[in-house]
Amino acid sequence: MTALGQPADPPYLRIAAELRTRIASGELRAGEKVPSTRRITQEWGVAMATATKALVVLRQEGLVRAVPGVGTVVHAPDSAPEAVMAVRARRHGKAPRGADPSLTSERVVRTAVAVADAQGSAGLSMRAIAGELGVSTMALYRHVPGKAELVELMADAVFGDIALPAQAPAHWRGRLEASARLQWALYRRHPWLAKVMSFTRPLISPNALALMEWTMDPVRELGLSANELLHVTVSLAGFVRGVAVNLEDEALAEQDTGLTDEEWMEVRSEEMGALISSGHYPMYERILADPEVDFSLDTMFDFGLARLLDGLTELMHERRPRPVGRGCRTE
């Protein structure tokens, strides 16, 4: 489990990142032509405008330059930008010239987490992170290849912060519930995280995988098939993430309006009441009339988790080990 729910970078940025990697690795050497806009449209299947924007990004970074009559080429070594020089220095076991020794990959990742916590996923950018660290944007590329890789490292880092309980529930239901609550608490601490997670295109996160291994440990003994194990794992994680994806939107809405969810509902209560009292919505009329009704993302999480575990009970019962012999039962 891991992943990318955050809106993906535009195609031109992804193309620029791949070309940047080719240059930094030496696949494209100084003075060599980089793919033309026409070649980019063919190789990546994008429009000409997108291809042009990708090359503009590399030009602005100083990685390439236009040569009349030749095309766009990689900059000469004596004028190569610091990102490329840093990669070359690392390959020879040297510290990049002018590198700040206090700027480490871990520091970049933790600063990125702090930026995302404060500004949301929309505010996360290499420029914002560089600003917090007091370095140039290009200096970050000494430590992370690009934003997509950085987000993956951020997710892995915060999953690594989860402290598993010393006394882990041994029963499958208790273990799944404990795991779901640990994940919910993590999403509450980092509201941006839910939007960067994906289950069809997962990020590579050892810490997230370790959490799910711990989660499913009692379940593995029940005789479920590999397909059932996968779907139980993803269903649990997907449920938590599905509720948590609203956390960042609610936090941003509160910042923008200055109103909590309860205060916003209070402001709209007269308008909502007039709509509901029309007689067309008897269910909602009953709900609004009951003072005991309590609804929030937390109550929705609690209710949905209990129902999910209830639904899994029948499957677990069917897969429970059968009696070994006459008069003997295996719990």
Side-chain angles (χ1 to χ4, degrees):
M1 177 187 71
T2 39
L4 290 168
Q6 176 170 330
D9 285 335
Y12 77 92
L13 288 181
R14 296 200 297 272
I15 295 169
E18 185 168 332
L19 292 175
R20 186 187 300 117
T21 299
R22 293 183 189 180
I23 295 170
S25 67
E27 180 182 342
L28 288 172
R29 299 183 180 183
E32 290 185 352
K33 288 181 62 176
V34 298
S36 64
T37 52
R38 185 175 299 279
R39 178 65 182 275
I40 290 174
T41 62
Q42 296 171 346
E43 186 173 344
W44 279 273
V46 296
M48 186 67 72
T50 299
T52 301
K53 289 170 71 175
L55 293 182
V56 168
V57 169
L58 297 179
R59 232 178 261 124
Q60 291 173 340
E61 293 176 354
L63 289 170
V64 302
R65 63 191 180 93
V67 178
V70 177
T72 302
V73 302
V74 179
H75 248 192
D78 59 351
S79 60
E82 57 183 285
V84 176
M85 297 302 286
V87 172
R88 290 174 180 166
R90 280 205 304 272
R91 291 175 66 187
H92 292 87
K94 301 176 182 178
R97 185 174 58 186
D100 180 356
S102 68
L103 187 62
T104 63
S105 297
E106 182 178 0
R107 189 176 168 209
V108 171
V109 171
R110 288 299 175 181
T111 300
V113 169
V115 169
D117 286 347
Q119 302 180 32
S121 55
L124 180 67
S125 68
M126 301 299 271
R127 179 176 295 181
I129 298 164
E132 287 293 320
L133 290 167
V135 300
S136 69
T137 302
M138 291 306 299
L140 301 181
Y141 291 107
R142 294 171 176 163
H143 304 280
V144 291
K147 184 178 177 183
E149 293 83 359
L150 175 60
V151 168
E152 190 167 281
L153 292 171
M154 291 166 60
D156 188 54
V158 296
F159 270 99
D161 292 337
I162 292 179
L164 298 176
Q167 299 297 323
H171 188 267
W172 71 265
R173 180 167 182 140
R175 183 70 66 91
L176 263 60
E177 179 174 356
S179 175
R181 294 193 180 282
L182 287 172
Q183 293 173 62
W184 179 246
L186 180 66
Y187 285 126
R188 274 217 164 274
R189 290 194 299 274
H190 307 288
W192 54 269
L193 180 60
K195 290 186 177 179
V196 308
M197 299 300 291
S198 170
F199 299 104
T200 54
R201 299 186 179 187
L203 295 176
I204 305 302
S205 169
N207 287 321
L209 290 175
L211 172 63
M212 298 318 296
E213 283 285 346
W214 175 85
T215 301
M216 297 297 289
D217 191 49
V219 182
R220 287 189 297 107
E221 308 301 323
L222 299 179
L224 273 67
S225 68
N227 190 55
E228 288 172 328
L229 280 172
L230 174 62
H231 280 80
V232 170
T233 304
V234 175
S235 293
L236 179 73
F239 163 73
V240 183
R241 187 241 179 193
V243 181
V245 78
N246 298 285
L247 291 170
E248 185 178 49
D249 291 338
E250 285 203 351
L252 293 175
E254 185 170 336
Q255 285 182 5
D256 292 341
T257 64
L259 300 173
T260 65
D261 292 336
E262 291 184 359
E263 291 170 338
W264 185 87
M265 287 297 293
E266 184 65 29
V267 169
R268 304 295 299 273
S269 62
E270 185 175 342
E271 182 181 353
M272 179 66 77
L275 175 65
I276 298 303
S277 63
S278 65
H280 297 298
Y281 312 101
M283 180 188 72
Y284 286 104
E285 190 171 1
R286 177 185 173 190
I287 291 171
L288 287 180
D290 189 341
E292 298 300 317
V293 168
D294 179 25
F295 180 80
S296 67
L297 289 179
D298 287 304
T299 63
M300 187 163 73
F301 168 76
D302 289 336
F303 182 87
L305 176 60
R307 303 294 78 75
L308 174 62
L309 296 176
D310 289 346
L312 289 174
T313 299
E314 183 175 351
L315 173 66
M316 301 303 184
H317 180 75
E318 291 174 354
R319 298 297 184 271
R320 189 172 57 188
R322 301 304 182 190
V324 178
R326 183 175 297 177
C328 298
R329 297 187 63 184
T330 302
E331 296 299 329

